[in-house]
Amino acid sequence: MWRPPGTLGACALLVGALCFSPPVQAQDTVNVLHWWTSASERKAADYLADRLQDEGVTWQDAAIPGGAGVGAMKVLKSRVLLGKAPDASQLIGPAISEWADLGLLLELDNVARRGNWNDKLFPTVNSLIRLRGHVVAAPLGIHRINTLFYNQGLFTKLGLAPPHTWADFDHAAEAFSRIGVTPLAQSTEPWQIATLFETLLLSETGPAFYRDLLVRRNANSWFDPRVSRALERLRKLKRWMPQQLSERPWQDEASDLAHGKAAMWIMGDWGKGELQAQGLTPGDQFGCIAVPGTADAHLYSIDTFVMFTGDYGNQAAQEKLALMVASPQVQAGYNRIKGSVPVRRDVDPSTLDPCARQSWMAFARGAAVQAPSLVHRMATDEALKDAIVSLIRRYFMDDHIPTSELQRRIASVVRALSQEGNSYDSQDTGR
Ligand code: GAL
């Protein structure tokens, strides 16, 4: 629902003034802003729209193209500042608390009570959607970022097993490059380079040290030799990527894997959704394993919807959407299309495909194995994320930048952007 400038959202954000709008009549339409525009993402959004229609509410779509929500977040900010906040929006990670703190988000405590979210959701999901005891977001699915996809036909053709170590990876890559197949699909979009890097960082360091770097923001830890090794691996992997790298959207890499132009691809498991949308079946034409060295870890990004309060005129429809997305049926149907796994603990893993089963079971092992994605907005605020992503991209594109220099640059950015209380570690903040 589009609202004229001057309603509560803009007032609260811009001047902190008190603004009152007359209540409007309850509506049966929700305007939903998101960044799901690939074939599988579109199908997943359509699935949600259909289920919402079953509840008598129409989904009015506001899709903003751009992987990882780079464009969508800018549009969302400007819509809120113009007083045209959507009714619902994909908004993920610590940003949920920041926006809730501004008083912009609808509290969903009644919905959570009705859906018994406290018991049914994974603890990490429960704490992500809560601020000071109030539920302020509705969870959709958990993506695993440290996923390596491989084309089963190509591996069978060369008699190769999927690689669990970097030595196996290099061995397989060498064999594919000999037969003229690109060993590793990759794009130069900044978020895609950084997505690859964060999996390498996890591979070298493990979840505890990864959190130290990105959640506790320990600037000195960035000088650690394990970080140097992850950076150097990022550059070394270029040898297995296409000769002519370009800023392609991630869906194009899914096509390359599907058509046997590339043998492997490291990407969040929305890639699985896209491969399925191209007619492939997980565990059959393609497989997923954890990125080498990360089998015991889950680098996660959790998709969530927030509801904007506006003048509270659309609360009933917004609550229907929130309740619906976390229900067992919708969780099963939506996540199967999207590539993610349910946010619920009461799932029978035997009903999941092999990729989803690995992801769900790894996540279920709890906080010690979980690492929040930097690039997919789980670890830090936007400013630090954007700064690190752009430094990583520069380092990847320009082989002349010494690794130690890049570490120094990241450490100073981390130091500069980390004031006290700016860490998102729940142990640090007591959230
Ligand atoms: C992630 C998001 C996923 C998927 C992906 C590619 O940030 O959580 O749902 O859309 O970006 O755009």
Side-chain angles (χ1 to χ4, degrees):
M1 189 187 67
W2 291 71
R3 298 188 181 88
T7 51
L8 183 63
C11 293
L13 195 68
L14 288 171
V15 289
L18 276 178
C19 302
F20 299 100
S21 318
V24 298
Q25 281 209 315
Q27 311 215 355
D28 52 7
T29 296
V30 283
N31 182 261
V32 188
L33 189 147
H34 58 88
W35 62 85
W36 296 329
T37 53
S38 78
S40 56
E41 290 174 332
R42 190 60 263 167
K43 276 191 182 180
D46 289 347
Y47 173 84
L48 293 179
D50 289 347
R51 297 292 74 77
L52 191 63
Q53 197 64 64
D54 296 344
E55 307 274 329
V57 178
T58 301
W59 168 297
Q60 192 187 80
D61 202 68
I64 314 294
V70 176
M73 283 301 98
K74 294 193 173 84
V75 173
L76 180 63
K77 271 182 200 151
S78 67
R79 278 187 62 173
V80 170
L81 288 168
L82 287 168
K84 293 178 177 175
D87 297 306
S89 177
Q90 192 181 359
L91 184 77
I92 65 179
I96 299 170
S97 303
E98 290 171 359
W99 291 63
D101 247 341
L102 291 169
L104 293 168
L105 306 185
L106 196 65
E107 286 177 2
L108 299 166
D109 296 334
N110 290 335
V111 174
R113 217 167 293 122
R114 280 178 59 198
N116 199 8
W117 289 5
N118 214 7
D119 276 358
K120 300 296 180 192
L121 306 184
F122 282 116
T124 303
V125 177
N126 257 323
S127 65
L128 184 72
I129 60 172
R130 269 163 228 266
L131 179 69
R132 290 189 283 274
H134 293 288
V135 175
V136 287
L140 288 144
I142 302 164
H143 277 298
R144 192 181 200 186
I145 315 298
N146 54 320
T147 306
L148 186 152
F149 296 97
Y150 59 93
N151 179 307
Q152 186 61 68
L154 287 171
F155 271 77
T156 309
K157 185 171 161 192
L158 297 196
L160 292 165
H164 292 284
T165 65
W166 287 111
D168 292 347
F169 181 96
D170 285 340
H171 173 72
E174 187 78 62
F176 289 119
S177 109
R178 254 184 271 130
I179 62 162
V181 169
T182 299
L184 183 64
Q186 182 64 38
S187 153
T188 53
E189 275 194 333
W191 74 267
Q192 294 199 50
I193 297 170
T195 294
L196 173 60
F197 170 69
E198 65 179 24
T199 72
L200 304 179
L201 191 61
L202 181 69
S203 172
E204 285 295 334
T205 67
F209 194 73
Y210 175 100
R211 279 177 177 274
D212 198 44
L213 292 164
L214 287 164
V215 184
R216 270 185 293 281
R217 300 178 171 205
N218 186 342
N220 290 336
S221 296
W222 282 93
F223 293 101
D224 194 278
R226 287 169 284 183
V227 177
S228 333
R229 287 202 294 274
L231 285 164
E232 276 151 19
R233 181 163 332 270
L234 178 70
R235 272 186 180 156
K236 280 194 204 128
L237 286 177
K238 277 204 256 186
R239 139 172 208 231
W240 306 126
M241 296 174 189
Q243 295 287 305
Q244 297 295 321
L245 277 174
S246 60
E247 290 212 1
R248 313 166 76 203
W250 60 274
Q251 304 89 290
D252 289 7
E253 290 139 71
S255 292
D256 283 357
L257 193 96
H259 295 114
K261 288 190 192 150
M264 296 181 277
W265 181 33
I266 292 174
M267 181 51 70
D269 53 10
W270 47 86
K272 183 189 81 180
E274 203 60 16
L275 290 164
Q276 291 178 144
Q278 300 195 13
L280 279 68
T281 307
D284 193 357
Q285 290 99 337
F286 73 96
C288 324
I289 50 171
V291 166
T294 69
D296 290 334
H298 196 296
L299 184 57
Y300 67 88
S301 179
I302 300 170
D303 277 322
T304 40
F305 275 162
V306 296
M307 312 292 157
F308 284 87
T309 47
D311 53 18
Y312 294 91
N314 217 7
Q315 188 166 351
Q318 289 166 308
E319 288 182 347
K320 275 188 185 169
L321 173 61
L323 187 64
M324 178 208 81
V325 296
S327 70
Q329 299 74 11
V330 171
Q331 280 288 300
Y334 160 84
N335 283 300
R336 196 173 300 131
I337 304 169
K338 184 67 168 63
S340 38
V341 296
V343 291
R344 303 180 65 99
R345 300 150 74 190
D346 57 351
V347 166
D348 173 0
S350 70
T351 60
L352 303 174
D353 69 56
C355 301
R357 198 177 312 131
Q358 283 174 46
S359 168
W360 189 88
M361 290 180 71
F363 195 85
R365 286 169 53 204
V369 303
Q370 296 169 1
S373 165
L374 166 72
V375 181
H376 301 280
R377 299 193 166 81
M378 293 291 123
T380 72
D381 56 85
E382 291 281 299
L384 184 56
K385 168 187 81 75
D386 289 345
I388 297 179
V389 168
S390 104
L391 286 171
I392 294 293
R393 179 179 185 273
R394 245 195 278 163
Y395 172 83
F396 178 84
M397 302 302 283
D398 179 358
D399 286 336
H400 294 105
I401 301 175
T403 302
S404 56
E405 169 61 14
L406 199 271
Q407 288 173 271
R408 198 190 57 72
R409 286 189 203 175
I410 297 183
S412 45
V413 162
V414 170
R415 207 169 286 121
L417 291 178
S418 303
Q419 298 123 16
E420 225 179 306
N422 219 3
S423 147
Y424 287 108
D425 192 307
S426 49
Q427 281 134 17
D428 289 358
T429 60
R431 269 199 297 130

